[in-house]
Amino acid sequence: MKTVYLDNNATTAIAPEVREAMEPFFRDMWGNPSSMHTFGGQVRKHIEQARQQVAALINADPSEIIFTSCGTESDNAAIRGAAEVIGPRVNVITSRVEHPAVLGPCRYLSERGHRAFEVGVDAAGQIDQVQLGEFLREGSAVVSLMWANNETGVVFPIAEISGMVKAAGGIFHTDAVQAVGKLITDVRAVPVDMLSLSGHKLHAPKGIGALYIRKGTRVKPFMLGGHQEDNRRAGTENVPYIVGLGVACELARAHRADEFVRMATLRDRLQSGLLASCPDTRVNGDVHHRLPNTLNISFEFIEGESILYMLSDVGIAASSGSACTSGSLEPSHVLRAMGVPFTAVHGSVRFSLSRYTTEADVDYVLAKIPPIVSRLRAISPFVRKQ
Ligand code: PLP
């Protein structure tokens, strides 16, 4: 059976170039980079090369990059580390559509005496800049706002909002886990203080991430222990994965511009094909400011989960706007924050493409979905029968 993987915002395939670059570090080069002998020195230089590769992708200085275990760790380290430096009672501002990796630490801080604010979004998923301005006037703040949304692909105007935060004297962190490798994320062009990225969203393995910390930004280390990463992140470095992340960043930098156009063209073909062949279908999120690889679409009156099961039967992998948690369908907090109607939230499906997606993949999906949607609508209790 043909298989089509369109769930790349969840995770991506490891690029063959990345796998090959990592391999020697599982075989011969297994030394501890902190060791003074040649076993250590041999691997240490590869960590520094990877640091340069990661830095180059976001136009940072290598000394501004620390390696972490994942995007979630980077987010936690940035938000909690910055709040701890400022004091016992800090304003922490985020948005209602962030990933749990950001909402979690912000809510944790609010339970410990800090004040947390969540900025709303409009129907297109765009940040409410007026409300952000109001929250910034409440006092000095740590602000964490995502570069691009994982569910809808909506891209926030990071230059503008980071400028607002800096003008108000705040510390600005952005979760750029979905943006890095797909968009230009130039930390010299926008005044972000910290930026999180994650390997497995850009064809490196799961379990490796990085945090950019602008020179001069004060952050209390999150992981305590050894002196690794210039005393900013304790723990023996995950050398093979760091090397893999470096190569993945190098590949992204080399191909980003071409991939942007190719993915956006395929995504648009998928979008227009589905809108034309399936009635009562709507696209969620700001189509003018969106990641090139993401389509979040609602098939009204049916459950996204049911569509996913039937897609899975014909070899297609995507994801839905409802997460099946503890037996109940929890509707997406992102789509709810946008005010997407109940029936559309439940019928939402996210398709996310990658550099490996082909035109044949898209055409296969376009052929399979309309009959699935008709079949599910025929048995849906929500559809008004004529
Ligand atoms: N932030 C965003 C926007 C994400 O999409 C994800 C993963 O889905 C994360 C953070 C967490 O990254 P990781 O899986 O590397 O912990």
Side-chain angles (χ1 to χ4, degrees):
M1 183 171 62
K2 182 175 170 62
T3 54
V4 175
Y5 183 77
L6 294 183
D7 200 12
N8 288 281
N9 286 8
T11 199
T12 57
I14 300 174
E17 298 91 330
V18 168
R19 220 169 37 226
E20 274 167 36
M22 291 171 64
E23 220 267 328
F25 297 88
F26 290 114
R27 207 182 39 225
D28 313 314
M29 295 202 277
W30 40 261
N32 185 330
S34 297
S35 302
M36 294 321 287
H37 46 63
T38 49
F39 288 83
Q42 198 184 31
V43 294
R44 204 157 45 236
K45 59 177 188 265
H46 291 278
I47 293 185
E48 293 321 312
Q49 186 188 356
R51 205 184 302 284
Q52 284 170 13
Q53 290 165 315
V54 174
L57 181 60
I58 61 170
N59 200 18
D61 189 87
S63 65
E64 296 173 311
I65 302 294
I66 61 171
F67 291 110
T68 64
S69 65
C70 58
T72 302
E73 186 192 321
S74 299
D75 288 341
N76 273 267
I79 297 164
R80 294 169 63 177
E84 253 200 73
V85 166
I86 298 179
R89 198 171 145 81
V90 180
N91 290 352
V92 182
I93 302 176
T94 188
S95 83
R96 289 176 61 196
V97 297
E98 298 295 315
H99 190 274
V102 165
L103 292 174
C106 291
R107 289 173 186 168
Y108 170 88
L109 289 171
S110 85
E111 285 158 14
R112 277 156 187 78
H114 301 278
R115 289 204 304 166
F117 300 84
E118 291 182 6
V119 185
V121 295
D122 65 15
Q126 271 304 348
I127 183 115
D128 180 345
Q129 292 191 37
V130 174
Q131 192 178 39
L132 172 61
E134 283 164 13
F135 290 162
L136 286 170
R137 281 193 285 282
E138 294 280 330
S140 72
V142 174
V143 182
S144 181
L145 295 168
M146 66 202 323
W147 200 304
N149 188 275
N150 46 300
E151 291 192 26
T152 59
V154 169
V155 177
F156 279 169
I158 285 296
E160 270 174 64
I161 57 184
S162 56
M164 284 171 71
V165 174
K166 294 316 293 172
I171 305 240
F172 187 73
H173 163 256
T174 185
D175 175 342
V177 163
Q178 293 291 345
V180 169
K182 297 174 194 145
L183 305 177
I184 293 172
T185 46
D186 181 340
V187 295
R188 295 276 163 264
V190 288
V192 305
D193 296 308
M194 291 180 283
L195 175 150
S196 301
L197 63 94
S198 171
H200 73 108
K201 311 294 181 174
L202 69 154
H203 302 291
K206 284 160 270 301
I208 184 70
L211 177 63
Y212 157 79
I213 306 175
R214 186 180 291 278
K215 227 169 264 172
T217 304
R218 288 177 58 229
V219 191
K220 261 256 172 81
F222 181 63
M223 296 281 274
L224 303 173
H227 300 296
Q228 292 88 354
E229 297 294 281
D230 210 11
N231 291 315
R232 293 174 298 177
R233 198 276 187 183
T236 302
E237 296 88 339
N238 186 354
V239 182
Y241 284 57
I242 289 173
V243 169
L245 177 62
V247 172
C249 288
E250 181 88 38
L251 288 170
R253 193 159 71 97
H255 303 298
R256 185 175 46 195
D258 298 341
E259 281 172 6
F260 184 102
V261 177
R262 216 183 65 80
M263 286 196 296
T265 306
L266 288 177
R267 188 271 317 273
D268 292 346
R269 181 187 178 93
L270 179 62
Q271 176 176 306
S272 51
L274 290 176
L275 290 176
S277 60
C278 305
D280 294 319
T281 300
R282 52 176 275 168
V283 175
N284 299 309
D286 181 350
V287 295
H288 304 294
H289 302 95
R290 196 169 42 153
L291 290 172
N293 76 320
T294 308
L295 168 62
N296 188 309
I297 189 162
S298 289
F299 301 92
E300 300 238 27
F301 316 120
I302 41 182
E303 290 288 354
E305 299 280 316
S306 316
I307 302 175
L308 291 187
Y309 285 129
M310 293 179 82
L311 284 177
S312 183
D313 285 344
V314 292
I316 299 168
S319 66
S320 83
S322 307
C324 197
T325 38
S326 50
S328 69
L329 282 181
E330 190 64 45
S332 150
H333 71 285
V334 175
L335 299 184
R336 274 183 305 153
M338 291 161 60
V340 174
F342 172 84
T343 52
V345 172
H346 280 280
S348 72
V349 176
R350 178 187 70 187
F351 298 99
S352 47
L353 289 64
S354 82
R355 76 167 65 121
Y356 302 122
T357 308
T358 64
E359 201 171 298
D361 291 340
V362 168
D363 289 346
Y364 183 72
V365 176
L366 286 175
K368 294 294 178 191
I369 288 195
I372 289 177
V373 168
S374 306
R375 230 176 313 150
L376 288 172
R377 286 220 174 111
I379 56 168
S380 165
F382 301 114
V383 178
R384 251 179 288 112
K385 305 283 182 318
Q386 305 298 331

